[in-house]
Amino acid sequence: MPELPEVEATVRYVAERVVGERIADVQVLWARTVARYEPADFQRSLAGSHIDEVFRRGKYICIRLSGGERGYLLVHLRMSGSLDVISSANPVDTHDRVVLYFENGRSLRFNDTRKFGRMYLVSALEEVTAPLGVEPLSEDFTPENLRSLLGAARGRVKPLLLDQGVIAGLGNIYVDESLWKARIHPLTEARRISAARLRALHRAIRETLTEAIELLGTDFGDGVVHGGSYRPRVYGREGEPCERCGAPIQRIVVAQRGTHLCVRCQVV
DNA sequence: CAAACTCCCTGTTAGC
DNA sequence: TGCTAACAGGGAGTTT
């Protein structure tokens, strides 16, 4: 499940291989992967574009283009999407949904088993990214900022942290990891979290994401991430001992999402 | 208006 | 062994 660190790892991988290349042809193998476009129009509008830059905003991979009809190609990997750059001679894989062929004989493959991923071809970034909240690793994200985001909101802390309009890029894994690190129970009412605890949460989010990026994210062996080596402390570890206190990690459901926590360390 | 539900998908796994 | 049904999960949309 690609979240901010996995998307960042993908951006670095892709940027190294496609910046400076020109798109010779486009193949759409699953029409619904392409948002707001008919496959033929998408192909025509994208072909001939030159790739100037690849960067990340929230969980979106942003590819800046020139020389074509539109300025940006955005990619959201959702559940099972991944990007690969390989020789154009390779045959199309069963789960390839869109392939961009470059003039240099290589190609960018958008592989996505569950078909939830999306590509957006737009003139301005904001057409897609406008609703997104603060970048958690930017200077704009401060303890005071987090306090104003959560203190003003009603509801429980985990759903708020998952909301991309509040903080952009956190997902199920790193929310659980950050809450564990800050010793906050995921069901805690956000407005009731003390200022000290919010400072701990702010630090936990940044440390968790930074560590995960350094390790290129989490690899679940599903091919989504290229060799990420982050090892979650609670996520996916139900029944294993909490590395802080030894109590068994529990799994509950919050906002229809599997949620992992240490009930001894994390108090409501 | 927060929270729960539904849908989109398919590989994996539990259950029989 | 082999089949079926349940399940997971990001995000958008709908209902309670």
Side-chain angles (χ1 to χ4, degrees), chain A residues 4-5 8-9 12 137 208-217:
Chain A
L4 190 153
E8 184 65 34
R12 292 177 188 182
L137 295 178
T208 300
L209 292 176
T210 302
E211 181 192 355
I213 286 174
E214 282 169 7
L215 297 171
L216 302 179

Side-chain angles (χ1 to χ4, degrees), chain A residues 68-102:
Chain A
E69 282 187 22
R70 304 272 176 179
Y72 290 92
L73 176 66
L74 305 195
V75 185
H76 198 304
L77 302 174
R78 292 282 185 99
M79 293 297 300
S80 59
S82 66
L83 294 178
D84 262 301
V85 180
I86 57 175
S87 165
S88 298
N90 286 47
V92 167
D93 181 84
T94 315
H95 300 122
D96 282 347
R97 307 304 177 198
V98 175
V99 182
L100 309 188
Y101 295 95
F102 300 113

Side-chain angles (χ1 to χ4, degrees), chain A residues 184-248:
Chain A
I184 297 169
H185 194 291
L187 291 174
T188 310
E189 291 286 332
R191 65 205 304 199
R192 303 179 76 122
I193 302 173
S194 70
R197 198 54 89 195
L198 283 181
R199 278 195 298 279
L201 178 57
H202 174 268
R203 188 166 57 243
I205 290 170
R206 290 176 74 113
E207 285 179 359
T208 300
L209 292 176
T210 302
E211 181 192 355
I213 286 174
E214 282 169 7
L215 297 171
L216 302 179
T218 306
D219 190 347
F220 284 87
D222 53 8
V224 170
V225 180
H226 304 276
S229 57
Y230 178 85
R231 182 130 191 283
R233 308 298 201 283
V234 289
Y235 188 84
R237 302 185 63 172
E238 182 182 13
E240 294 181 43
C242 167
E243 68 176 53
R244 237 176 1 219
C245 78

